[in-house]
Amino acid sequence: MKNILLTGATSGIGYELAKQLCEKGFTVVASGRNEEKLSVLKQETGCEVVAADLSDAEQTVSLFNKAIELVGTIDVLINNAGMISRKCPIEEFTLEEFEEQYAINLRAPALLSREALKVMKPNKSGQIINVVSTAAKRANETMSIYSAMKQGLAGFSAILMKEAQPHGIKVTSLFPGGTDTNFREAERPEYMHPASVAKAVIQVLELPADVVMHEMTFRPMVEIE
């Protein structure tokens, strides 16, 4: 089975992904900032864990190296971690908020993808899945910084696909819509359950070897766009 590095694994979609991937027999290195939650996840699933703050570039690169040390190689990178500090009009965002959202939502997946290519190109195989957001396809007021970073990730991922595919590496950009996670202040039961989103991600992993999904947009039934 494949070795998978998964970011943002301590809650929401990432937590459900870690559980389901381990149940299917994948070797998972799960990452997050909360060491206590990572410890619980390891006990529940048997996955390997590495604590890392993706707002720190050095920790981000170190995460990939530690994952290699733990399992030997990485066959699949799932850039799932993401954050939004708060919703606010453009004139109210702070420099600190901008830089943190840039670091986690755009720089971290770019750095991890860079490191993954160094391992995957010599093997002429591999897969990188970038969890973007339908926010990258819309212009939502009060979400300017988050949307900008997710649009940036979508653009980066599209170029990554073109550079990686000639080397046998699959790249997929996922655009999930509203999901009922702790990412939101209020519960939204009409939105997709994180476990449902995780199943959709795994379907991309389980496609036939001669098929690559470049992009996939999926939403809850209550969302039209």
Side-chain angles (χ1 to χ4, degrees):
M1 292 296 284
K2 295 176 179 178
N3 296 340
I4 299 176
L5 172 57
L6 168 66
T7 65
T10 55
S11 64
I13 296 169
Y15 175 74
E16 293 293 341
L17 254 178
K19 290 198 301 181
Q20 292 183 32
L21 289 168
C22 288
E23 287 170 1
K24 286 181 170 288
F26 291 99
T27 298
V28 178
V29 180
S31 177
R33 285 192 277 194
N34 190 310
E35 292 189 26
E36 185 176 338
K37 288 184 178 180
L38 284 174
S39 178
V40 171
L41 181 63
K42 183 173 183 176
Q43 291 176 353
E44 290 179 346
T45 67
C47 69
E48 299 289 349
V49 296
V50 178
D53 182 352
L54 298 187
S55 67
D56 183 303
E58 289 187 6
Q59 287 190 47
T60 302
V61 175
S62 177
L63 162 63
F64 194 89
N65 294 332
K66 288 178 180 177
I68 293 288
E69 291 173 6
L70 283 170
V71 297
T73 191
I74 296 297
D75 304 301
V76 180
L77 166 65
I78 304 179
N79 282 311
N80 167 72
M83 62 83 65
I84 180 171
S85 51
R86 66 189 174 108
K87 296 180 180 180
C88 70
I90 289 173
E91 69 270 20
E92 293 181 10
F93 77 77
T94 67
L95 177 59
E96 290 75 18
E97 289 172 329
F98 187 100
E99 290 182 339
E100 184 179 28
Q101 289 189 70
Y102 156 68
I104 294 174
N105 296 330
L106 179 52
R107 186 180 69 192
L111 289 172
L112 289 170
S113 296
R114 182 191 71 184
E115 297 307 303
L117 287 180
K118 295 175 183 178
V119 172
M120 295 176 182
K121 275 190 174 183
N123 294 334
K124 298 188 182 303
S125 68
Q127 189 162 9
I128 299 173
I129 297 176
N130 290 318
V131 181
V132 189
S133 168
T134 51
K137 295 180 175 289
R138 303 178 66 186
N140 293 321
E141 293 170 305
T142 73
M143 294 179 65
S144 58
I145 307 308
Y146 179 77
S147 297
M149 300 310 165
K150 287 297 187 177
Q151 287 176 10
L153 177 57
F156 175 86
S157 192
I159 295 169
L160 176 66
M161 177 271 291
K162 289 187 175 183
E163 293 190 6
Q165 197 160 308
H167 300 276
I169 303 164
K170 297 181 178 183
V171 175
T172 302
S173 300
L174 296 181
F175 297 86
T179 308
D180 187 20
T181 70
N182 57 7
F183 195 76
R184 303 177 183 280
E185 294 179 359
E187 292 186 3
R188 299 295 294 270
E190 73 275 20
Y191 280 178
M192 295 182 293
H193 192 281
S196 300
V197 177
K199 287 180 181 178
V201 177
I202 290 173
Q203 284 182 335
V204 174
L205 279 175
E206 295 181 333
L207 287 171
D210 59 346
V211 176
V212 56
M213 178 79 74
H214 287 161
E215 291 187 4
M216 183 167 71
T217 301
F218 53 106
R219 297 179 168 94
M221 288 295 289
V222 296
E223 283 185 357
I224 303 300
E225 65 173 42

